Amino acid sequence: MGKVGVLLGGTSAERAVSLKSGAAVLAALRRRGVDAHPFDPAGQSLEALQRAGFERIFVILHGRGGEDGTMQGALELMRIPYTGSGVMASALGMDKWRTKLVWRGAGLPIPDFVLLDADSDFEAVERQLGLPLFVKPANEGSSVGISKVKAPGGLRAAYAEAARHDRLVLAEQYMGGGEYTVAVLGEGADLRALPPIRIIPATEFYDYEAKYHRDDTRYLCPCGLPPEQEARMRALAVRAFEVLGCRGWGRVDVLLDAHGEPRLLEINTAPGMTDHSLVPMAARAAGMDFDALCLRILEQARCETPGRGGTPDVG
């Protein structure tokens, strides 16, 4: 593998999670004999990254500045092979609104949604989507800035909270059939979905506390769905991954509606790798331990454009 840099930390609202993910990945790679070194772009420059002599980069930055295509673009210019999706897919995946537009344009099922601004008719949106509904910033992860609106008249305050984190804010239809997530690994002929996980939070919804700090969130893997329904969900996750042009690895979040039909919620192109994270859990269910998972992701590191690190994507 040569000298490997593990990009962790960063400056986004998900910095603390990225530091934990990065520490876990770094330890796993070193256990496998990889010459891996941490690199936190919050305190070190891109010039220092280029001078470090890394031959591969494991990108485990979450959120803006690391998962949104900006770091991927810098690595492309430096010609350093890196893990995960490329510039366009990373940028699309970080933006929940544009992700939904692409999925909807490809005919994939998603919950109904409305893009909000300060002049929106909030009462009309509540009537259109029904209550409860969710409000979220379009460009944040880890449930930062998300609210569940249950009572009439509550949408305006929820919008104001989400708008503190991003200028693009979504109101999204509530799906009552359960929340699932599907890890996707590989690309091309090797692309596959790992076993789905059902998420049952003890809190009102799967918020930041439930994801990273609470021990009473339940994760079911096997997820409990009939085999045919699980197979459809896995196929849908793979298709959602491909439509956005993703590669390497990622995680697609899926909701079931009241009739048990899957609806795509969002995608994570650099998912968490902490002790509470779901991709390692799905990998274990598929017979792959954490160290092997990290090594498999690192093996797929490359650049999108021709030259060092591999050939470009062609579809």
Side-chain angles (χ1 to χ4, degrees):
M1 295 291 180
K3 186 179 180 182
V4 173
V6 177
L7 294 193
L8 75 175
T11 58
S12 79
E14 299 177 80
R15 172 178 171 79
V17 180
S18 176
L19 287 171
K20 290 185 66 177
S21 292
V25 169
L26 184 67
L29 294 178
R30 286 175 170 173
R31 284 192 296 268
R32 284 300 186 106
V34 176
D35 182 22
H37 304 264
F39 190 96
D40 186 348
Q44 301 176 84
S45 67
L46 290 178
E47 290 81 1
L49 178 61
Q50 191 165 28
R51 290 196 304 268
F54 295 130
E55 295 177 63
R56 291 177 185 238
I57 295 288
F58 196 120
V59 180
I60 196 62
L61 296 166
H62 305 318
R64 300 182 192 187
E67 197 175 352
D68 60 358
T70 54
M71 183 58 71
Q72 288 76 13
L75 293 171
E76 289 284 341
L77 291 174
M78 289 187 276
R79 309 302 307 140
I80 306 175
Y82 57 93
T83 59
S85 294
V87 178
M88 182 191 70
S90 297
L92 277 175
M94 190 69 212
D95 188 326
K96 297 178 180 65
W97 177 49
R98 289 176 172 85
T99 292
K100 292 177 187 298
L101 294 178
V102 172
W103 280 342
R104 186 170 63 184
L108 301 183
I110 59 173
D112 193 12
F113 69 93
V114 173
L115 185 66
L116 301 175
D117 59 37
D119 298 322
S120 293
D121 186 336
F122 295 107
E123 291 184 1
V125 173
E126 289 179 358
R127 291 193 299 270
Q128 175 183 336
L129 298 182
L131 294 175
L133 59 81
F134 283 95
V135 179
K136 58 186 67 174
N139 290 279
E140 288 289 357
S142 294
S143 298
V144 173
I146 292 184
S147 301
K148 184 178 182 180
V149 178
K150 298 185 289 183
L155 181 55
R156 184 180 297 275
Y159 164 78
E161 170 59 24
R164 292 176 52 241
H165 302 275
D166 190 18
R167 64 184 182 84
L168 293 178
V169 175
L170 294 171
E172 192 170 65
Q173 181 185 21
Y174 172 74
M175 298 279 107
E179 182 170 356
Y180 298 77
T181 194
V182 185
V184 181
L185 187 64
E187 62 178 315
D190 295 326
L191 182 62
R192 64 183 177 123
L194 300 182
I197 299 170
R198 182 171 185 185
I199 303 164
I200 307 176
T203 49
E204 183 70 32
F205 63 95
Y206 193 43
D207 59 12
Y208 188 94
E209 287 294 314
K211 287 180 177 179
Y212 301 114
H213 299 302
R214 297 179 67 103
D215 293 322
D216 53 2
T217 303
R218 296 173 59 206
Y219 302 101
L220 304 184
C221 189
C223 66
L225 293 175
E228 299 82 3
Q229 193 175 10
E230 179 178 324
R232 289 201 306 272
M233 182 179 290
R234 293 171 78 156
L236 178 62
V238 167
R239 182 60 182 151
F241 191 84
E242 291 177 318
V243 162
L244 293 178
C246 298
R247 62 177 172 87
W249 71 305
R251 202 191 75 228
V252 179
D253 295 337
V254 182
L255 302 175
L256 294 186
D257 64 19
H259 304 290
E261 292 300 316
R263 306 285 186 94
L264 295 167
L265 181 62
E266 60 186 70
I267 192 168
N268 295 268
T269 55
M273 293 285 271
T274 72
D275 54 0
H276 279 63
S277 295
L278 302 177
V279 174
M281 188 183 305
R284 284 196 301 273
M288 184 184 302
D289 66 23
F290 186 80
D291 292 7
L293 172 65
C294 292
L295 199 61
R296 174 70 179 121
I297 293 169
L298 182 61
E299 287 171 347
Q300 299 174 98
R302 65 177 178 84
C303 295
E304 289 188 301
T305 48
R308 181 184 175 193
T311 55
D313 287 336
V314 293

